[in-house]
Amino acid sequence: MKISLLRIVNFLIDTSIYGLIIYLFFSVFSQHIPLENVKWIGILIYFLYYFMSEFFFGQTIGKWISKTRVVSITDNSKFYFWQILARTIMRFVPLDIISYIFTDRGFHDLVSLTKIELVNPSDFDD
């Protein structure tokens, strides 16, 4: 399976997981959260889901299922925190999703100097 197709699978799985987290969170705490804060809490949860997953594990649940991971294209491992931070922030730019029309790597990959690779490439045929 091609990386571009796996990226779509990752997106669909991660969006579903995010939706489930949001649903559960607001089901439990809806009586305690003012309506004007709902948007900001949703943004915070979205940020934390991607940032924490990719920083600590190198993959989100979608990437884990599709056996892909985020890797740096630089040799500087001390820069990884900033790469994942930039990658996560770039996901909030509306043009990021459209960037796949023009390139195999989205803006969040290009800006953060990261890419997606297969965990074990021998498991897949191209």
Side-chain angles (χ1 to χ4, degrees), residues 4-24:
S4 57
L5 184 56
L6 290 174
R7 292 184 81 103
I8 294 170
V9 170
N10 294 345
F11 175 76
L12 293 173
I13 292 170
D14 287 330
T15 300
S16 298
I17 297 293
Y18 168 73
L20 180 62
I21 291 168
I22 288 293
Y23 174 78
L24 293 173

Side-chain angles (χ1 to χ4, degrees), residues 100-117:
Y100 290 100
I101 295 170
F102 307 106
T103 179
D104 289 341
R105 293 173 54 215
F107 287 153
H108 66 271
D109 284 324
L110 297 171
V111 169
S112 65
L113 302 175
T114 59
K115 67 178 184 174
I116 299 297
E117 73 175 16

